[in-house]
Amino acid sequence: SNFAASPSSVLNADKIIPNNLIDFHNIKQLITVSSGSSLNFSVFAKASGYNFLLINTATGSSQGNSGPVINVLTGQIVGTFGSTNYNAKVVSLLNGWFRVDFTFLTNGTTVSVDLNPLPTSSISSYSGNGTSGVLIWGYSVVAGNSVSSYIPTVASAVTRNADVIT
């Protein structure tokens, strides 16, 4: 944790560093939702030794395991895992950061969203080197049909007023 400066220019971006075991390396967050909900996942990502990040709805998605593979060095979506029945968008920010937005429908009441750093765009098990990985910050999941602006939270859910565009 707190490995590098985030898009907010504060030293609070985390680095996912795979260990040296041959495995699928990921971190995940389980989320409780209403079945049939539309969820919008967002994370800020940056290359830090590995240039690829798979975002995977491992459970609870109506599409089954699915998600985009993003080149976090260029911001391009370079592949997909499982079904392609989701919406993903990558926005370029300053200092090599990208915001990745990912929208999907649920079919259960518990959803898992996994972040998988990859050394190549190939989705396979591999042995990490203990130093290379991907920087992340601002991981958030919001119910609804559209993504929202970044909502800072630490350990619990936060409710705020809706975005207003004028």
Side-chain angles (χ1 to χ4, degrees), residues 65-145:
N65 288 355
S66 64
V69 177
I70 292 101
N71 182 327
V72 291
L73 190 63
T74 66
Q76 299 296 311
I77 297 173
V78 295
T80 192
F81 177 69
S83 167
T84 58
N85 194 11
Y86 59 82
N87 292 315
K89 179 175 87 171
V90 181
V91 177
S92 179
L93 304 172
L94 296 175
N95 300 319
W97 282 96
F98 295 93
R99 177 178 169 159
V100 181
D101 297 323
F102 174 58
T103 303
F104 59 96
L105 295 175
T106 64
N107 70 347
T109 57
T110 303
V111 174
S112 170
V113 178
D114 299 359
L115 298 177
N116 305 267
L118 299 169
T120 68
S121 61
S122 174
I123 302 165
S124 62
S125 61
Y126 64 93
S127 175
N129 62 17
T131 57
S132 295
V134 172
L135 296 173
I136 62 165
W137 177 79
Y139 181 109
S140 67
V141 178
V142 178
N145 293 320

Side-chain angles (χ1 to χ4, degrees), residues 5-45:
S6 70
S8 69
S9 300
V10 175
L11 185 67
N12 60 357
D14 299 332
K15 186 172 181 178
I16 307 171
I17 303 172
N19 61 25
N20 62 359
L21 299 175
I22 296 176
D23 204 350
F24 291 96
H25 303 277
N26 64 50
I27 62 170
K28 69 175 65 185
Q29 178 68 46
L30 293 175
I31 305 148
T32 303
V33 296
S34 298
S35 184
S37 299
S38 179
L39 288 183
N40 297 284
F41 168 79
S42 181
V43 69
F44 296 80

Side-chain angles (χ1 to χ4, degrees), residues 39-71:
L39 288 183
N40 297 284
F41 168 79
S42 181
V43 69
F44 296 80
K46 181 178 179 177
S48 185
Y50 288 163
N51 294 344
F52 301 92
L53 179 67
L54 164 63
I55 300 174
N56 175 27
T57 58
T59 60
S61 167
S62 64
Q63 294 84 26
N65 288 355
S66 64
V69 177
I70 292 101
N71 182 327

